[in-house]
Amino acid sequence: MDIDRIINNPFRLLSRRECILWAVSVIIVTAANLLSGGTDPLTLTATIVGATSLIFAAKGHVIAQGLMIVFSILYAIISFRFRYWGEMITYLGMTLPMAVWALIAWYRNPSAENRSEVKIRALAGKHFLLLAIGCPAVTAAFYLLLVRLNTPNIVFSTVSIATSFLAATLTALRSSYFGLAYASNDLVLIAMWILASLDDATYIPVAVNFAVFFVNDMYGFLSWKRREKKQTNNTMKTTFETKQK
């Protein structure tokens, strides 16, 4: 994945459908913020960055992880303002560093068919072991911390930690199932921010934003599954041709 493919107008790599999905996502999150009556520039900026990150993640482009690092910082600040300590700690202490890991992993493993896209990897036994051990351990550790911090809506916050860990780890492992994990996390966050908006209506746009993210993450999952099938077929074809020689 050559450096010039990353910094030289990555939008030109998107299909027309992906450009439309990105534009509609930005319009919806912008409208939700403007119509709420209490536009928060930080929330609006974070959601636009997040929506842009997701469309490039669906494409398998490494710039998605750079944008995710920025989004993690902005979202942590938003969570801090509502005292959603779990979200703040999760994004700063887990999602952000794992986005750095994913950025490095994606950059170092471009697809043979298209160097602007990451090579998808099938999970092995050791990866399932990592998830099986890591997810409960991380969730339990964060839960104890959230209890001490008197975190509001702690059940949703705890579930969010588990789904966030799965999503971030699968992203770094280059698994096509990371989009499905993030979509699950989006559903939890929608519920969390709806509850938050009952106390402060200015948080309604955040719930709308994650609804948009859910659509984008599901598109990303389907996009990766199609690309995974294509990459597998090309690998099998190359292997067969090599054996024939």
Side-chain angles (χ1 to χ4, degrees), residues 1-19:
M1 198 174 294
D2 302 327
I3 191 66
D4 62 313
R5 300 299 298 275
I6 300 174
I7 62 177
N8 186 22
N9 188 20
F11 278 95
R12 65 188 175 85
L13 301 174
L14 301 179
S15 66
R16 177 178 297 182
R17 177 172 55 188
E18 290 163 341
C19 287

Side-chain angles (χ1 to χ4, degrees), residues 26-216:
V26 170
I27 291 172
I28 291 176
V29 297
T30 301
N33 278 269
L34 295 177
L35 295 176
S36 67
T39 303
D40 179 13
L42 181 63
T43 300
L44 179 58
T45 300
T47 51
I48 292 177
V49 171
T52 306
S53 172
L54 293 182
I55 202 65
F56 283 111
K59 195 70 176 179
H61 197 289
V62 68
I63 197 173
Q65 299 310 316
L67 293 172
M68 180 54 67
I69 293 172
V70 176
F71 174 77
S72 296
I73 296 172
L74 297 177
Y75 182 64
I77 296 173
I78 295 171
S79 300
F80 170 79
R81 296 192 308 191
F82 191 72
R83 296 191 304 113
Y84 267 158
W85 310 122
E87 291 300 289
M88 182 190 74
I89 295 172
T90 297
Y91 271 79
L92 287 182
M94 183 172 66
T95 304
L96 191 154
M98 294 191 79
V100 174
W101 174 23
L103 186 150
I104 296 172
W106 284 27
Y107 179 77
R108 290 180 174 176
N109 295 276
S111 168
E113 296 81 11
N114 185 346
R115 293 188 63 80
S116 66
E117 298 177 357
V118 66
K119 181 180 180 181
I120 301 172
R121 177 169 61 182
L123 296 179
K126 61 181 180 181
H127 301 135
F128 288 109
L129 182 62
L130 169 64
L131 295 172
I133 296 177
C135 186
V138 170
T139 303
F142 273 78
Y143 172 77
L144 295 176
L145 181 59
L146 297 184
V147 171
R148 294 182 64 85
L149 294 173
N150 296 317
T151 303
N153 302 318
I154 191 169
V155 173
F156 286 108
S157 292
T158 304
V159 176
S160 176
I161 290 170
T163 53
S164 293
F165 176 84
L166 290 174
T169 305
L170 290 172
T171 301
L173 292 175
R174 296 179 283 120
S175 168
S176 59
Y177 288 97
F178 85 90
L180 194 60
Y182 268 121
S184 300
N185 182 244
D186 293 333
L187 294 177
V188 178
L189 295 179
I190 291 170
M192 284 181 58
W193 289 106
I194 287 177
L195 292 175
S197 67
L198 297 178
D199 294 329
D200 187 343
T202 60
Y203 288 107
I204 293 177
V206 184
V208 175
N209 297 336
F210 279 108
V212 172
F213 286 5
F214 172 79
V215 174
N216 280 267

